[in-house]
Amino acid sequence: MTTTHNLIVSARAPDQLRDVRIQRGYTMHAEGSVLISVGNTQVLCTASVEEKVPPHKRGSGEGWVTAEYGMLPRATNTRGSREAAKGKQSGRTQEIQRLIGRSLRAVFDLKKLGERTIQLDCDVIQADGGTRCASITGAYVAAQDAVSWLLARGLITESPVLHPVAAVSVGIVGGAPVLDLDYVQDSSCDTDMNVVMTGAGHFVEVQGTAEGAAFSRTEMNRLLDLAEKGIGELIALQQQALLV
Amino acid sequence: MTTTHNLIVSARAPDQLRDVRIQRGYTMHAEGSVLISVGNTQVLCTASVEEKVPPHKRGSGEGWVTAEYGMLPRATNTRGSREAAKGKQSGRTQEIQRLIGRSLRAVFDLKKLGERTIQLDCDVIQADGGTRCASITGAYVAAQDAVSWLLARGLITESPVLHPVAAVSVGIVGGAPVLDLDYVQDSSCDTDMNVVMTGAGHFVEVQGTAEGAAFSRTEMNRLLDLAEKGIGELIALQQQALLV
Amino acid sequence: MTTTHNLIVSARAPDQLRDVRIQRGYTMHAEGSVLISVGNTQVLCTASVEEKVPPHKRGSGEGWVTAEYGMLPRATNTRGSREAAKGKQSGRTQEIQRLIGRSLRAVFDLKKLGERTIQLDCDVIQADGGTRCASITGAYVAAQDAVSWLLARGLITESPVLHPVAAVSVGIVGGAPVLDLDYVQDSSCDTDMNVVMTGAGHFVEVQGTAEGAAFSRTEMNRLLDLAEKGIGELIALQQQALLV
Amino acid sequence: MTTTHNLIVSARAPDQLRDVRIQRGYTMHAEGSVLISVGNTQVLCTASVEEKVPPHKRGSGEGWVTAEYGMLPRATNTRGSREAAKGKQSGRTQEIQRLIGRSLRAVFDLKKLGERTIQLDCDVIQADGGTRCASITGAYVAAQDAVSWLLARGLITESPVLHPVAAVSVGIVGGAPVLDLDYVQDSSCDTDMNVVMTGAGHFVEVQGTAEGAAFSRTEMNRLLDLAEKGIGELIALQQQALLV
Amino acid sequence: MTTTHNLIVSARAPDQLRDVRIQRGYTMHAEGSVLISVGNTQVLCTASVEEKVPPHKRGSGEGWVTAEYGMLPRATNTRGSREAAKGKQSGRTQEIQRLIGRSLRAVFDLKKLGERTIQLDCDVIQADGGTRCASITGAYVAAQDAVSWLLARGLITESPVLHPVAAVSVGIVGGAPVLDLDYVQDSSCDTDMNVVMTGAGHFVEVQGTAEGAAFSRTEMNRLLDLAEKGIGELIALQQQALLV
Amino acid sequence: MTTTHNLIVSARAPDQLRDVRIQRGYTMHAEGSVLISVGNTQVLCTASVEEKVPPHKRGSGEGWVTAEYGMLPRATNTRGSREAAKGKQSGRTQEIQRLIGRSLRAVFDLKKLGERTIQLDCDVIQADGGTRCASITGAYVAAQDAVSWLLARGLITESPVLHPVAAVSVGIVGGAPVLDLDYVQDSSCDTDMNVVMTGAGHFVEVQGTAEGAAFSRTEMNRLLDLAEKGIGELIALQQQALLV
């Protein structure tokens, strides 16, 4: 039996990222199409250029960057119900897609994009923790490919991308800070924090939640240190992938 | 003309909370019913005791604490559409009600609550920034009244409340950190951060978002300092209100 | 403990209204904002001026007056589910908001309003019977304030309001006609009738329903006598409130 | 061309009903199935016996009678959109089906029905005014057939029907009271009143609405006189149809 | 008791259609209105002319033909729930209305129709198998009447109808091929095939489904033979009905 | 730039399948997980075993096999809207998932499956025509893997699978019959037919649609010949994949 995706066993240091793979041109239709794998988590991120903007941007001369997020029903250990069949997106899904959209807009000069939309779709093929962070990190690469597509066609003359952007989760597991939680770690952690940062080392989003015990200022600082380290590495990997 | 709610003009220091008023027993049916005013923001927080739990808690011996959030259509400067008429809650509404629920659960020992639910409803009567934070701060007081109601009837013999919990927004406005943003400040700020903390000085949630420029670690630290100060004051006000 | 809303015990004659209080300027954003209390029933009625009309009025030179109605989940003795969370308004809610809209339109000259909408929102803060009637009576006052706002800004030069309008419920309780039923009376009555009348003593709506035994023409006449008396008093109270 | 349904031209006195035809056994599956024609208005009323009751009646030993109402998209002069395709019933539809249900329950002893439901479906095949009144009048006959079906099978031993019930619309058209308005009259009337009465001459529902000018007590009395006359005739026609 | 629709007992040869009746002008408002009875199955098919087209046809100079399908709740042996009340059309309903629309469009020259829509509504009054086929056969006659209406008013000068179109079901029941299955036959058959053909003897749709055992090429051929025979007879009946 | 999925150019004979690749074990959580590629069309088919059955099978001792279908928004040349965000599945989606479910059930002995469900999810990663046929062909392999999983755990002792099943599209393009249409061929064809057959050479479903001109019996026969050939080859490829 051909098994293309085996379980990747984690034997990492607490400050070590899982294995990250970024595959560009993964599907053929989208202007940008990236499969990002972070450990066993796999997200297909596509960027679609649409020559229209939402109502609040019409006539502004500015563009828009937005995102939608989904999870295939059996991306998870037990099957989740299909949101299209239930007839609505969960609160969790909406929260995540709003986060992805804000994170990407934070590194775009919407004026330079012109009155068009980059629509990002992040669909989780396989889930093992950290899907929202993988989505942001992968969506940035897909968005870059869409920008290159626009530049190559002369639709824009200057890149609207101000900085790279990437995201990672950090948390306190069994009392100790850990970088890049997988599903088992995420389920048992006391504090879970998702951090989005730019290539310039600034924060775009910090979302920390005490799942169990509330966390101290000191713990927060240690988590932010880990996140800074991890995001630096992720941004290097994005840049590598974009050089190919 | 009898005007019961005049505009409260802000002439505050950047590290000063707006005027806070917490009125208990605001409506007559709920086990806990609190109107919290933070400047011109007014939220009615009710706590309802229900002798049932959601499916994932049935038979566990544990209770549940959850929240719903709404805004009256004309709580805002221009009328927003009624979510019941549109047939769905916005992503923003769902995000906020999930945050309120998590924040309150963080200070509850669900075992001591017994297999029942405290349902919190936070309805914004008048909005001027900071409605999610006012909801959390007010919901804590309503939840305490519902707990007193349970204790008084002998339905529980020990309080399941572990700590007080309160929330405040902080942000960077015109380059400077400000505590407890009103709507005008919130609309123009570069970074907006909602912080939820317990009476023990620990963090339950930190949600920081760069609306404009990404923020540095130094700025983040200054914002957290402000939030700690404000939440300390809010928790004192909650305790005062509960003594009456 | 500060209790701002105590239970008001009814010891009234069968032809006596409950205590009525009409507070204008209750919230700060709306063009008209009225909290009406009828006994323990409290409804916040706001009137919003919107410079647009629904499709069937576009280009007609005429305006529109319409209403939406809602009840906070814990306005009632046991918590009702939130319509926004369920994703639809109940048949009862739709019936009531259609009634409020028709009642107010009956006293408006839509031509004089010009091509704009007065949107009434009636949200029940606390329920103890008669919420639809209190909504109509309060919405009239809020609508008048919105009209004053339009006149003060010169947007209209003549009031489009033709008459005052108010509403009251009457019913047969234990065989005897009673004015202005509270929740307990409403639950046990044989016949429940909601009557909407203008200041000129004419009927806008009469909705009588036999909950138990069907009612005779004689009983109907006695109910209408009571309603005429009660509405006369309500209209006097509206006028008083508008003089302040 | 075979035209089975020609336009029936009205040349009636103001106190005269339109031609009424009541066909029992109209379709083959339902326990009661009646096509009622009132002038050009045609409504198919079926009564279905279901051996279950809604949650609020479970274990009560009592039954339930309820109704649903619909209109075929091209029952009207211009096509209306299909409610099933739009995904929701209009406020008007819900109002009408609640009225039909209440009207029929008013003449049923739910204890004698036993713990089962009579579900009435009123579907308008062709509309020319007065569809809700025709639905009630026809549904009574269908319900009687369902009761006979239950009696014939020995499922009940005594009829739960207390009285006949029928409904008619009355209105003020061009200043004069008119019985049984057709669509053209209904569209131009000042006041429209739907009256539901039992065979004992008592009121079950009175719903009067001023479409244009508000109406006086005198006008109301004249309308009720007309309605009493019309309903007496409709009940005689129901009894005739049930004798066949 | 007047029973207008008695059960029609089938004693037919396996290659014999049930009794078919096509009544034009069945209701008064629609441009085409046909009640088609095929055995006990009765479908009201109306054709409405609307002077607009869906977005994908705007400005094309071409028209559109489309269909909606519904079943009255008690058209069937046990009551089905009302799709308008459930808030969505079933997959089966959508499949059928898409099939009706495609079938009719196959015989229309949309250019000759001009930029307008013929909207077909097929509502099942009574069901006994074969409702989708009866809908197509009846809708063709209703569409022809709508085309005549357009020609008579000079809105078009040439008929856009290229061919007649009709449909029939065939199946393998107890091992033998049968034409025009009723409900009992349909429920017990091994293979069910719906065939749509033009007057020229060509196929528009063939939809065969093995309900039980899969079917052989030989069986398929025998079913198609039966369908060709049945559709030839149905088209002759349509032409007869249109001559009246 | 690493391009993992290049456009596969078709230079095939009219009776030749596109390149087919069947990868088992594609994702790690599902009991069966297959990526099927047919030319540029790629569908991820997962089979999930659930120890419950839908209501109509409860207590029957029989199991159930059902399917859901979805398409990633940018699987297509221009982005389609996300069904979860729109809040409903299109008629096309429902048609396809009903077809997949019926096709698989046709080769399952539900008694031998025991009272459990095999839930198939077919999600289109990249679309280039023939997605429903690829879904059926791939879902069969995923279902087989789920059956092997059940056998390996001793949950069943005998395979409930009666036959292989596969599907292919055929059509008349430019007057000539063609096997396995890609998107360009599908868009321009006159007749499109989806054929589902078992390994025993029998038909499970035949769905032929005249997109342009209606098709003759002769053309139908030539299309069925092509389909038989193609499905024979697909079933051989399934068997090969299952041997690995």
Side-chain angles (χ1 to χ4, degrees), chain A:
Chain A
M1 173 173 160
T2 316
T3 304
T4 58
H5 297 83
N6 291 303
L7 182 69
I8 298 165
V9 181
S10 292
R12 327 174 250 146
D15 68 346
Q16 194 183 339
L17 287 178
R18 292 181 283 175
D19 287 343
V20 176
R21 196 166 42 143
I22 298 174
Q23 294 172 262
R24 288 164 62 210
Y26 192 73
T27 56
M28 75 188 190
H29 295 301
E31 283 73 43
S33 174
V34 167
L35 186 78
I36 183 165
S37 309
V38 178
N40 291 309
T41 289
Q42 299 186 340
V43 186
L44 174 53
C45 307
T46 58
S48 300
V49 173
E50 299 186 311
E51 291 295 321
K52 61 181 179 190
V53 287
H56 72 283
K57 283 291 180 189
R58 275 181 210 145
S60 70
E62 295 195 352
W64 191 240
V65 176
T66 186
E68 287 183 1
Y69 170 93
M71 205 182 255
L72 295 193
R74 196 58 196 278
T76 44
N77 190 42
T78 55
R79 185 177 182 272
S81 58
R82 187 178 290 269
E83 293 188 330
K86 283 202 304 183
K88 61 182 220 172
Q89 294 179 301
S90 70
R92 177 186 174 278
T93 293
Q94 290 188 61
E95 236 173 82
I96 292 175
Q97 64 194 12
R98 285 156 56 88
L99 171 66
I100 302 169
R102 281 200 310 273
S103 297
L104 270 289
R105 280 195 298 279
V107 296
F108 258 80
D109 179 335
L110 297 175
K111 266 210 183 64
K112 288 195 183 149
L113 180 55
E115 210 164 315
R116 60 176 58 83
T117 296
I118 294 182
Q119 169 76 47
L120 301 161
D121 285 287
C122 298
D123 285 277
V124 180
I125 304 297
Q126 188 171 276
D128 187 32
T131 63
R132 79 189 70 188
C133 292
S135 295
I136 291 166
T137 306
Y140 169 72
V141 179
Q144 270 288 18
D145 277 336
V147 164
S148 300
W149 185 94
L150 285 165
L151 286 165
R153 268 150 200 77
L155 292 164
I156 54 176
T157 53
E158 199 183 350
S159 172
V161 179
L162 304 167
H163 297 284
V165 67
V168 80
S169 77
V170 286
I172 297 174
V173 182
V178 174
L179 177 65
D180 188 17
L181 310 182
D182 64 22
Y183 178 74
V184 170
Q185 293 169 324
D186 188 48
S187 305
S188 64
C189 74
D190 276 319
T191 293
D192 176 22
M193 190 176 289
N194 294 295
V195 181
V196 186
M197 293 181 80
T198 66
H202 289 161
F203 295 98
V204 169
E205 291 267 345
V206 176
Q207 297 197 337
T209 297
E211 306 281 349
F215 53 97
S216 68
R217 185 78 177 261
T218 308
E219 288 172 318
M220 185 163 187
N221 281 326
R222 293 175 63 195
L223 292 174
L224 292 173
D225 291 343
L226 272 186
E228 283 187 20
K229 172 183 183 295
I231 289 175
E233 292 171 19
L234 288 167
I235 286 176
L237 290 164
Q238 289 172 329
Q239 302 306 65
Q240 258 175 46
L242 284 164
L243 286 176
V244 184

Side-chain angles (χ1 to χ4, degrees), chain D residues 195-215:
Chain D
V195 181
V196 186
M197 295 180 78
T198 68
H202 290 161
F203 295 98
V204 169
E205 290 267 346
V206 175
Q207 297 196 338
T209 298
E211 307 280 350
F215 53 97

Side-chain angles (χ1 to χ4, degrees), chain A residues 1-2 5 23-24 26-31 48 68 74-76 79 82 87 119 121 123 126-127 244, chain F residues 1-2 4-5 24 26-29 31 48 68 74-76 79 82 87 89 119 121 123 126-127 244:
Chain A
M1 173 173 160
T2 316
H5 297 83
Q23 294 172 262
R24 288 164 62 210
Y26 192 73
T27 56
M28 75 188 190
H29 295 301
E31 283 73 43
S48 300
E68 287 183 1
R74 196 58 196 278
T76 44
R79 185 177 182 272
R82 187 178 290 269
Q119 169 76 47
D121 285 287
D123 285 277
Q126 188 171 276
V244 184
Chain F
M1 173 173 159
T2 317
T4 59
H5 297 83
R24 290 163 62 212
Y26 192 73
T27 56
M28 74 187 190
H29 296 301
E31 284 72 42
S48 300
E68 286 183 0
R74 195 57 197 277
T76 44
R79 185 176 181 271
R82 185 178 290 269
Q89 293 180 302
Q119 169 75 45
D121 286 287
D123 285 277
Q126 189 170 278
V244 184

Side-chain angles (χ1 to χ4, degrees), chain B residues 8 11 41-42 52 56 58 65 78 87 108 110 112 124 134 144 150 169 173 181 189 192 198 203 230-231 234 242:
Chain B
I8 299 167
T41 289
Q42 300 186 340
K52 61 181 180 192
H56 72 282
R58 274 180 212 147
V65 176
T78 56
F108 259 79
L110 296 176
K112 288 194 184 151
V124 179
Q144 269 289 18
L150 285 165
S169 76
V173 183
L181 310 183
C189 74
D192 175 23
T198 66
F203 295 98
I231 288 176
L234 287 167
L242 284 163

Side-chain angles (χ1 to χ4, degrees), chain C residues 14-34:
Chain C
D15 67 346
Q16 196 185 338
L17 288 177
R18 291 180 283 175
D19 288 343
V20 176
R21 196 166 41 143
I22 299 172
Q23 294 172 261
R24 290 163 60 211
Y26 192 72
T27 55
M28 75 187 188
H29 295 301
E31 285 72 44
S33 174
V34 167

